[in-house]
Amino acid sequence: MNFVDRFPLATILDWADENQIDLHAWKTWGDVAPEFVSSVAMHRLHEILQEKLPDQPFGLMIGSSCTLDTLGLFGQIGQHCSTLRQAAETYARYQRLSPVPGQTRVEFDPNTGDGTIVIPPDREPGLAQSLEFRLSFVVAQTLSIFRQMLALPDMHVEQVAFGHNDKRFRAQYEACFGGRVLFGCKETRITFASEIFDSPVSGAVPGTRVFLEELALTQLKRHATVNATSEDFVEVLRTELRVSIPAGAFDGATIARKLSVSLRTMQRRLAEQGFDFSTLVEEVRAELAMEYLARPELTVQEIAAMLGYTQASSFHRAFKRWTGHTPAAARRDLLP
């Protein structure tokens, strides 16, 4: 997973609305918006914002408004780890399973215990003009999320080393990050003190992490050979399924029609990215199941119906296949 190529669309649109910025000219998706957009889409956004907010650190501004849910399933896993160090080690374990090069990684200093999030050099020379925007977004997003996970709104970084040499916003960086800021480095590196990584995650329920990790491993196997910049169609489809499954209309022909493509085209585009429709449906069902089980007002029978199962027993078997556990066992860990 490369966080520098997974930018949360909802956060960007909310920030634009709050600042009365019209991004209609940027819209490249259909009726259903994806959860994340790529660095290519962010480059186009940068061009638009440059006209509307010249010489403003809008990467820093938007990134600072990100919340934990902008990391999707991996954010949920981190939220239920005991410490940030455990979350980082879990992430590193997934990284070792992935054959895709050039991923964000975490390194720990063997002497001090300080942890550093390392973002590899940008390999897209055509996107160089938006590099400051994209990297400052990721650094601010990381700090914002860590502050929320630890319930430490004033925590700061030890050092940020940027993989660009644009020093226009040095003062704003230092005010936001609270640590030393370097420029013109080979990689972008965000370093936090050892005690930050060993601080307890606020509100973590470790038992829940087991179920979420199993879902993440399933997704990782599907995403391992997919080029991150080509995921937009899959994300659009995934978002549509999250709406259509509870509505009870999620057969392939119906979903294809909602996305304004033929069924054959939808199947072909999924196959090109290493997916098939039925497997994607099961992944989304599994994600929704975990969310619904965390809502005590819903019975297992109601959850089964919301996921398109006519019998609760069918949902029970499917959930056991997804996670290795029963819905009742998952609910015991999900609910306080």
Side-chain angles (χ1 to χ4, degrees):
M1 177 170 41
N2 191 351
F3 291 130
V4 80
D5 205 40
R6 286 170 59 88
F7 296 89
L9 178 60
T11 299
I12 296 168
L13 297 180
D14 289 344
W15 175 85
D17 287 342
E18 291 174 3
N19 290 274
Q20 299 181 323
I21 297 174
D22 181 10
L23 294 184
H24 180 76
W26 177 51
K27 183 177 179 182
T28 58
W29 52 90
D31 293 334
V32 182
E35 186 176 0
F36 300 102
V37 293
S38 69
S39 56
V40 176
M42 292 296 281
H43 182 75
R44 296 195 298 268
L45 175 61
H46 173 265
E47 294 175 340
I48 293 173
L49 292 179
Q50 275 288 90
E51 296 179 0
K52 299 177 181 293
L53 295 173
D55 297 319
Q56 292 292 317
F58 39 80
L60 190 69
M61 296 158 67
I62 306 174
S64 296
S65 68
C66 288
T67 56
L68 185 60
D69 58 7
T70 60
L71 292 184
L73 182 57
F74 283 90
Q76 294 179 46
I77 292 172
Q79 187 176 12
H80 293 293
C81 288
S82 299
T83 64
L84 277 182
R85 191 177 299 276
Q86 185 183 65
E89 291 169 348
T90 301
Y91 171 72
R93 186 165 67 251
Y94 291 133
Q95 292 299 80
R96 288 193 293 270
L97 294 174
S98 174
V100 181
Q103 303 285 290
T104 303
R105 66 185 188 275
V106 183
E107 298 177 351
F108 287 102
D109 188 311
N111 297 316
T112 66
D114 292 353
T116 299
I117 298 171
V118 183
I119 300 170
D122 190 84
R123 301 183 184 281
E124 298 290 341
L127 307 182
Q129 290 184 346
S130 64
L131 187 58
E132 183 280 327
F133 166 52
R134 290 181 284 121
L135 290 180
S136 63
F137 185 114
V138 172
V139 175
Q141 178 189 31
T142 301
L143 179 58
S144 177
I145 288 171
F146 279 16
R147 284 170 170 170
Q148 293 167 54
M149 289 178 67
L150 302 180
L152 296 173
D154 296 323
M155 69 166 284
H156 59 81
V157 304
E158 289 294 296
Q159 178 175 284
V160 176
F162 277 107
H164 66 74
N165 204 31
D166 187 342
K167 303 177 183 178
R168 289 176 298 158
F169 308 122
R170 178 192 288 271
Q172 291 94 323
Y173 287 165
E174 292 175 345
C176 178
F177 306 145
R180 186 183 183 194
V181 180
L182 305 176
F183 297 91
C185 303
K186 181 180 178 181
E187 300 173 309
T188 296
R189 302 174 66 89
I190 316 166
T191 301
F192 293 89
S194 178
E195 58 265 27
I196 295 298
F197 273 91
D198 290 325
S199 298
V201 174
S202 177
V205 182
T208 301
R209 178 169 52 88
V210 176
F211 303 109
L212 297 175
E213 282 196 56
E214 289 169 349
L215 292 181
L217 282 171
T218 299
Q219 289 193 12
L220 180 63
K221 292 175 183 177
R222 296 290 170 186
H223 284 271
T225 59
V226 177
N227 186 322
T229 60
S230 66
E231 287 184 348
D232 284 357
F233 182 76
V234 174
E235 294 299 340
V236 168
L237 181 51
R238 190 184 296 277
T239 303
E240 177 57 43
L241 284 171
R242 289 181 63 86
V243 175
S244 297
I245 288 174
F250 57 95
D251 61 281
T254 298
I255 297 299
R257 188 163 53 250
K258 289 183 177 181
L259 298 182
S260 301
V261 297
S262 69
L263 178 58
R264 180 175 295 181
T265 297
M266 181 181 74
Q267 292 171 333
R268 175 179 55 77
R269 293 184 68 177
L270 285 173
E272 288 173 351
Q273 298 180 34
F275 290 83
D276 65 77
F277 182 72
S278 61
T279 301
L280 197 61
V281 169
E282 289 298 282
E283 287 186 7
V284 175
R285 274 176 153 176
E287 292 173 10
L288 290 173
M290 294 299 292
E291 295 175 16
Y292 293 156
L293 285 168
R295 295 170 54 182
E297 74 275 14
L298 295 176
T299 66
V300 172
Q301 289 78 10
E302 289 172 330
I303 294 172
M306 293 169 70
L307 295 176
Y309 294 98
T310 56
Q311 300 290 331
S313 58
S314 299
F315 166 58
H316 185 282
R317 287 193 296 272
F319 192 86
K320 190 76 178 292
R321 186 176 68 252
W322 298 331
T323 69
H325 304 276
T326 65
R331 171 161 269 178
R332 283 194 295 271
D333 282 324
L334 286 167
L335 296 179

